[in-house]
Amino acid sequence: MSIDNITAKILSESTENAKIITDRAKDEAKVVVEKANQEAAALKEKMQRQAQEDAAELKNRKLSVADLEARKMRLAAKQSVIAKSFDKALEKLETMKKGEYVDFLVKKIKEVSSEASIDGGILYLNKKDKDAIGKEIVEKVNADGKKGAQVTLSEDTIGASGGFVLRSGSVEINSTLETMVGAVREDATSEVVGALFR
């Protein structure tokens, strides 16, 4: 066999082998590309699903927060209305006519003295009430009292919008208007809520 024939044969075999290797590489590349495309599509789908789930969860959270805020605002509004109701009650007590107010305080002093089983004591009023009606209250309270159980008006005053503080020995009874309304508020809040927010 001549050198030309051998060379031609080697070239022919090399070309054939190169074609086989190239075809095989192309086939393998197609498989790799197809697999990569499938993985990319699966990943894209997974990411879209995750994004939708995240968006739904975020929406639900925002709705929950908005609902909570709305409930807080409604509660604050109700509490404000309730507070105003009791402020109005205190205002009505503060603006009673003089005679009614004196009778109210005299009756209250007698009630708390009886409930606390005390006779007499020192009566403290705010400055306005002390100057305007202090002596009249003491006279009315003492009118039917025992000689040794007299209420005396203190020269000192209290910082309250009205009402009184009564001290007898170690006992102190706080019946300022604010305290009275506060005590009623604890007991009556549920009734007020029922009346205002049916």
Side-chain angles (χ1 to χ4, degrees):
M1 204 188 259
S2 73
I3 291 216
D4 289 338
N5 284 344
I6 293 172
T7 305
K9 188 173 179 179
I10 291 172
L11 277 174
S12 173
E13 285 178 7
S14 294
T15 304
E16 202 174 303
N17 282 341
K19 186 176 182 308
I20 291 169
I21 291 170
T22 303
D23 288 346
R24 192 180 302 148
K26 283 181 185 176
D27 289 342
E28 286 175 6
K30 277 184 187 176
V31 169
V32 168
V33 168
E34 191 174 314
K35 186 176 178 187
N37 284 339
Q38 288 172 352
E39 287 176 358
L43 184 60
K44 181 180 174 185
E45 188 179 321
K46 181 181 176 185
M47 289 174 73
Q48 284 175 336
R49 265 197 322 268
Q50 187 65 49
Q52 287 172 344
E53 288 170 10
D54 290 349
E57 187 178 335
L58 184 62
K59 180 182 173 185
N60 287 338
R61 279 189 200 158
K62 288 194 180 252
L63 286 173
S64 293
V65 169
D67 184 51
L68 182 62
E69 286 302 314
R71 279 190 273 155
K72 281 183 187 175
M73 288 169 67
R74 283 193 300 271
L75 179 61
K78 285 181 180 181
Q79 288 172 337
S80 174
V81 169
I82 291 166
K84 284 179 184 171
S85 299
F86 285 103
D87 289 346
K88 196 75 175 163
L90 180 61
E91 188 181 309
K92 281 192 180 259
L93 288 171
E94 292 170 350
T95 56
M96 287 171 85
K97 291 181 182 171
K98 180 183 171 190
E100 289 176 10
Y101 184 57
V102 169
D103 291 343
F104 170 74
L105 291 181
V106 168
K107 182 180 175 195
K108 192 72 178 164
I109 292 166
K110 288 180 179 180
E111 281 176 8
V112 298
S113 296
S114 174
E115 288 169 7
S117 299
I118 58 173
D119 292 322
I122 302 170
L123 183 67
Y124 296 83
L125 301 171
N126 67 20
K127 173 123 177 71
K128 182 183 93 169
D129 289 349
K130 177 182 168 277
D131 294 343
I133 56 175
K135 288 181 182 172
E136 184 180 353
I137 290 171
V138 169
E139 286 172 9
K140 286 191 172 191
V141 170
N142 291 338
D144 58 353
K146 302 175 211 153
K147 285 223 181 230
Q150 300 292 301
V151 171
T152 57
L153 184 62
S154 173
E155 288 301 315
D156 295 329
T157 58
I158 56 173
S161 63
F164 61 92
V165 171
L166 182 63
R167 288 189 188 136
S168 178
S170 62
V171 177
E172 178 177 290
I173 300 167
N174 182 341
S175 285
T176 60
L177 295 181
E178 292 89 344
T179 302
M180 286 188 251
V181 170
V184 169
R185 182 177 185 156
E186 287 179 25
D187 297 334
T189 295
S190 61
E191 290 176 41
V192 172
V193 168
L196 291 174
F197 306 110
R198 290 185 224 192

